Amino acid sequence: MDRRSFMKTAGLAAGSAAAASGIAAPAIAQGAMELKMVTTWPKNLPGLGVGAQRLADRIGTLTDGRITVKVFAAGELVPPFESFDAVSTGTADLYHAADYYFQGKHKALNFFTTVPMGLTAAELNAWINYMGGQDLWDELSGQFNIKAFQVGNTGAQMGGWFKNELKSLEDLKGLNFRMPGLGGEVLRRLGVNVQSLPGGEIFTALQSGAIDGTDWVGPWSDLAFGFYKILKNYYYPSMFEPGAAISLGVNRGVWDKLSDGDKELFRVVSMAENNQMYSDFKANDGQALETLVSEHGVKLHEFPEDILMALGKTSDEVVAEVGQEDALSKKIYESFLSARKLTGRSSSTTEKAFLIARDRVLAG
């Protein structure tokens, strides 16, 4: 897909969001609902933007048009990082975003996207669906008049793009780097000048030299954004985003108006989209990585050992601090730790062990 086809709305002036003040509450007539969904993604962005539209279309199809959802890309109604506020206040009805963009509202929101040294996509699903995560998320998001669901996952992400090759921890100091969420705080403590930019602003910032490097998602999305045109050093693994969830936030007023059947429909549709987006990334990342390396000269690097160790140690410190912010943060953190211990033990003795063995056999 041509990067311009989905980036064309990404750079909309902030003034375009002024129209949001005129957004009405959901139109309800003869049992029909017309809902407005704001997103943090450029229109038609592979994976994320496409997933938002697919979710909206599925709701319309399964209700035979009784509930329709109009999707607005980042900046079309509100600036991307104001999506949470728009739904919280009822300016918009739904958002499709990564909750860690909104950590300024409550730092514990990070746990429901991803945290450094956190959970893989499968482990996060287990925590949210069966180990108490959803109840804690409901308690947290309910404070902001929002009901939230998982509606996607990128899987384990890449570590990021860098202008120069990294030889040691010293090479991180002084870099201007784009990183949202708690990963940004980890890098800040290691001497990096961190910026949190919406996806649609990253390429321009790289072009102008405002940033020296960036994280984003992984090969498929990164190829679409064209980062390889500016940077060639692509690092792994990400210590920060081992399985980044995408959220559907529903205004509680809208949620409370839904029948029990429609609430269940939203739950089921969200679970279906969560699975489909993750599958979409898995299906496309491999070929995209091959294209980046073989056609665009991108160089893959594993982070040096001293960087990995520093990232890991500082990550656990940062996440632990968030867990002490308030009583609810502590509950979420303790639940997260329990899930990481239990699911991690299983992951290490099943998936991890198998992948190591498979690679060894195939290589031999």
Side-chain angles (χ1 to χ4, degrees):
M1 179 181 291
D2 188 335
R3 187 176 68 88
R4 291 173 296 180
S5 69
F6 62 83
M7 292 289 285
K8 63 181 179 181
T9 61
L12 290 177
S16 67
S21 61
I23 301 176
I28 305 175
Q30 296 181 347
M33 300 182 73
E34 298 176 4
L35 305 178
K36 297 181 176 66
M37 177 195 286
V38 292
T39 82
T40 53
W41 325 117
K43 196 175 188 66
N44 296 324
L45 173 65
L48 300 170
V50 170
Q53 186 62 60
R54 185 169 55 216
L55 177 68
D57 292 343
R58 186 170 280 146
I59 290 171
T61 298
L62 293 177
T63 61
D64 292 325
R66 182 172 47 80
I67 300 177
T68 57
V69 179
K70 182 172 177 57
V71 178
F72 296 89
E76 287 186 332
L77 284 179
V78 296
F81 287 172
E82 294 181 18
S83 299
F84 187 92
D85 280 343
V87 174
S88 178
T89 61
T91 301
D93 307 309
L94 314 167
Y95 70 71
H96 191 279
D99 267 15
Y100 70 180
Y101 287 154
F102 315 124
Q103 65 173 343
K105 298 298 177 183
H106 199 293
K107 287 187 179 179
L109 284 168
N110 283 282
F111 287 100
F112 302 100
T113 297
T114 189
V115 297
M117 295 284 286
L119 305 175
T120 66
E123 293 168 345
L124 187 64
N125 284 341
W127 180 50
I128 295 294
N129 295 326
Y130 288 103
M131 304 176 78
Q134 184 67 57
D135 288 341
L136 291 166
W137 199 3
D138 288 344
E139 185 176 351
L140 176 58
S141 62
Q143 295 180 4
F144 301 96
N145 199 37
I146 289 171
K147 168 67 177 176
F149 295 99
Q150 286 190 107
V151 289
N153 201 296
T154 65
Q157 298 192 0
M158 291 290 286
W161 296 82
F162 292 82
K163 182 183 296 184
N164 300 313
E165 188 174 345
L166 303 174
K167 299 293 188 180
S168 72
L169 187 58
E170 286 297 312
D171 292 332
L172 288 179
K173 294 180 179 178
L175 289 180
N176 297 309
F177 195 82
R178 182 267 181 192
M179 171 67 74
L182 297 182
E185 178 57 26
V186 172
L187 289 176
R188 190 175 292 110
R189 295 187 186 190
L190 296 176
V192 177
N193 300 317
V194 176
Q195 298 185 39
S196 182
L197 300 172
E201 297 179 16
I202 299 174
F203 190 85
T204 301
L206 288 170
Q207 277 186 317
S208 70
I211 55 176
D212 304 310
T214 184
D215 94 303
W216 178 229
V217 180
W220 187 30
S221 291
D222 294 6
L223 174 64
F225 265 49
F227 298 146
Y228 64 87
K229 298 175 182 178
I230 303 172
L231 306 174
K232 295 297 184 183
N233 295 296
Y234 200 23
Y235 275 82
Y236 69 91
S238 172
M239 300 298 285
F240 303 138
E241 306 199 20
I246 308 305
S247 304
L248 173 69
V250 186
N251 174 270
R252 287 296 308 203
V254 172
W255 178 253
D256 290 343
K257 288 184 175 71
L258 296 174
S259 67
D260 289 345
D262 285 338
K263 288 177 179 177
E264 183 62 17
L265 181 142
F266 267 71
R267 291 189 189 97
V268 172
V269 166
S270 295
M271 291 185 73
E273 180 55 34
N274 187 42
N275 175 68
Q276 187 159 356
M277 183 185 289
Y278 180 50
S279 301
D280 212 2
F281 274 102
K282 274 294 185 184
N284 286 283
D285 273 341
Q287 181 57 57
L289 185 60
E290 175 65 24
T291 299
L292 287 169
V293 172
S294 63
E295 296 183 20
H296 300 302
V298 170
K299 300 175 182 178
L300 289 178
H301 305 278
E302 186 172 3
F303 282 117
E305 186 69 9
D306 65 333
I307 292 181
L308 281 176
M309 292 300 103
L311 292 176
K313 181 177 183 295
T314 308
S315 290
D316 259 4
E317 292 170 356
V318 168
V319 174
E321 289 174 15
V322 172
Q324 304 306 315
E325 288 278 321
D326 56 26
L328 180 54
S329 296
K330 190 171 189 294
K331 285 171 57 179
I332 293 170
Y333 176 61
E334 290 177 349
S335 178
F336 157 81
L337 285 183
S338 177
R340 187 174 70 174
K341 179 180 179 180
L342 293 173
T343 62
R345 181 181 300 161
S346 172
S347 296
S348 292
T349 54
T350 54
E351 286 96 341
K352 177 183 174 182
F354 166 71
L355 289 172
I356 292 172
R358 185 177 70 180
D359 286 347
R360 188 166 66 245
V361 170
L362 293 178

